[in-house]
């Protein structure tokens, strides 16, 4: 068997095949172990009660019932501390509605500026992309300082808006989620700007030249050529934005804390799953909540791609 493999490997084409399969296998194994195995184990775990030490006790659908009761009680107005999953879901849906449209729009605007042949073009590209290369933890810590009551943001607003009273953005439940969303938009717009810039530069110049000959100005060319040609990339960015926003954890953890800050305003589903698994020591319930979150993300992205992703196929 070894000799037959050696003769097979001696051929140049077969060497390339073996090298390619070897490189691919590393990614496949990592994906199987940390992706699919974790996913299927979480599904298996969602039917058990366990404390990480003792034996696992089969409880059927009891963990899913806990999640459903949480949602029902939340809809009936129960205090946020008693309905953590409902609180996290409500916050993360509002957060997603704020972040995804704004970051997509801002990324298109930034890419449009970066795509212009102006002096200092490279400087602007680097400036826009720099937040995407910075650790979200560091960015969150910097913005906590900026959002303080005597921080720079209140200082600027007080000089721009007459009579403006400084706001404690982080410690006020009415503003905390918007402060987190602002940081997320600032950090992700530059990343998606690169995607839009690449898509813009792939649009054939002949289309713009033909439109210019027909008398189309810059604004009409942008709305009737650039935007339609960017439709596949817009779909991709929105889908990636939805996935990232719905499972947001790091910014909430740093800016709001493990309990979600004042009034649970910064509490998210990912934070709740973490607390269930490692604070309340209920990994089975955490696994059930993870599958609820997966169902929400899968359904949302599938419906969006089905409606708007036709241009990608």
């Amino acid at each position: 068997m070894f000799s037959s493999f050696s003769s097979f490997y001696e051929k140049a084409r077969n060497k390339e095949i073996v090298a390619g399969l070897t490189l691919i296998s590393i990614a496949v194994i990592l994906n199987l172990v940390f992706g699919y195995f974790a996913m299927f184990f979480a599904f298996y775990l969602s039917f058990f009660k366990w404390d990480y030490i003792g034996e696992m006790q089969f409880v059927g659908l009891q963990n899913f019932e806990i999640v459903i009761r949480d949602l029902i009680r939340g809809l009936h107005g129960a205090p946020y501390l008693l309905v953590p999953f409902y609180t996290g879901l409500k916050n993360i849906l509002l957060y997603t509605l704020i972040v995804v449209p704004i970051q997509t729009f801002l990324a298109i605007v930034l890419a449009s500026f970066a795509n212009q042949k102006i002096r200092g073009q490279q400087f602007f590209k680097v400036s826009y992309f720099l937040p995407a290369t910075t650790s979200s933890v560091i960015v969150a810590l910097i913005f906590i300082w900026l959002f303080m009551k005597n921080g720079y943001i209140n200082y600027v607003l007080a000089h721009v808006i007459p009579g403006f009273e400084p706001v404690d953005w982080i410690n006020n439940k009415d503003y905390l989620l918007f402060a987190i969303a602002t940081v997320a938009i600032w950090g992700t717009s530059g990343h998606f700007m690169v995607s839009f810039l690449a898509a813009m530069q792939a649009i054939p110049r002949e289309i713009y030249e033909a439109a210019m000959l027909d008398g189309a100005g810059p604004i009409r060319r942008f709305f009737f050529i650039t935007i339609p040609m960017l439709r596949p990339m817009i779909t991709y960015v929105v889908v990636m934005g939805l996935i990232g926003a719905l499972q947001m954890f790091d910014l909430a953890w740093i800016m709001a804390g493990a309990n979600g800050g004042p009034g649970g305003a910064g509490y998210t589903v990912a934070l709740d799953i973490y607390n269930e698994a490692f604070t309340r020591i209920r990994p089975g319930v955490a696994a059930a909540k993870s599958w609820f979150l997966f169902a929400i993300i899968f359904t949302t992205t599938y419906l969006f791609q089905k409606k708007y992703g036709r241009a990608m196929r």
Side-chain angles (χ1 to χ4, degrees), residues 80 90-91 94 167-180 256 260-267:
Y80 78 93
K90 182 183 68 175
N91 289 337
L94 176 60
V167 176
D168 195 352
W169 302 90
I170 302 298
N171 295 311
N172 188 319
K173 67 177 184 179
D174 295 327
Y175 300 106
L176 175 58
L177 192 65
F178 295 100
I180 296 174
Y267 204 69

Side-chain angles (χ1 to χ4, degrees), residues 84 87-89 91-92 177 248-249 252 260 264 266-273:
T87 303
L89 183 61
N91 289 337
I92 205 62
L177 192 65
M248 187 269 291
F249 176 85
Y267 204 69
T268 67
V269 175
L271 267 181
D272 188 42
I273 292 170

Side-chain angles (χ1 to χ4, degrees), residues 49-240:
K49 183 180 180 181
W50 192 34
D51 60 359
Y52 298 110
I53 298 174
E55 291 187 1
M56 298 171 70
Q57 179 184 354
F58 182 75
V59 293
L61 297 174
Q62 184 177 317
N63 292 328
F64 291 95
E65 291 175 11
I66 292 173
V67 182
I68 293 172
R69 282 203 303 271
D70 184 310
L71 290 172
I72 294 174
R73 295 172 68 188
L75 290 172
H76 285 82
Y80 78 93
L81 288 173
L82 301 179
V83 287
F85 186 74
Y86 172 81
T87 303
L89 183 61
K90 182 183 68 175
N91 289 337
I92 205 62
L93 290 178
L94 176 60
Y95 169 86
T96 302
L97 287 174
I98 297 171
V99 170
V100 174
I102 296 178
Q103 77 180 9
T104 305
F105 171 77
L106 198 58
I108 293 175
V109 173
L110 293 176
S112 300
F113 283 119
N115 197 35
Q116 303 302 313
K117 294 180 179 178
I118 56 177
R119 181 176 295 179
Q121 181 191 42
Q122 292 300 325
F123 171 77
F124 289 115
K125 288 180 182 176
V126 173
S127 301
Y128 297 155
F129 189 68
L130 195 59
T133 64
T134 309
S135 165
S136 58
V137 175
I138 296 173
V139 170
L141 290 173
I142 293 172
F143 269 89
I144 286 175
W145 176 76
L146 294 175
F147 277 121
M148 290 172 64
K149 193 169 184 178
N150 58 350
Y152 188 71
I153 291 176
N154 279 330
Y155 174 80
V156 172
L157 292 176
H159 283 77
V160 173
I161 304 174
F164 176 79
E165 292 292 333
V167 176
D168 195 352
W169 302 90
I170 302 298
N171 295 311
N172 188 319
K173 67 177 184 179
D174 295 327
Y175 300 106
L176 175 58
L177 192 65
F178 295 100
I180 296 174
T182 302
V183 179
I185 292 167
W186 183 83
T188 55
S189 297
H191 171 76
F192 290 127
M193 178 272 296
V194 176
S195 302
F196 281 123
L197 181 61
M200 285 181 182
Q201 292 180 345
I203 299 174
R205 304 305 303 175
E206 294 80 6
I207 299 177
Y208 289 108
E209 292 170 0
M212 291 171 67
L213 291 174
D214 291 337
I219 296 177
R220 293 188 64 186
R221 292 200 299 273
F222 179 78
F223 283 104
F224 292 100
I225 296 178
T226 304
I227 293 297
M229 297 294 283
L230 288 179
R231 183 175 173 181
M233 186 55 69
I234 292 173
T235 304
Y236 165 77
V237 167
V238 170
V239 168
M240 297 305 293

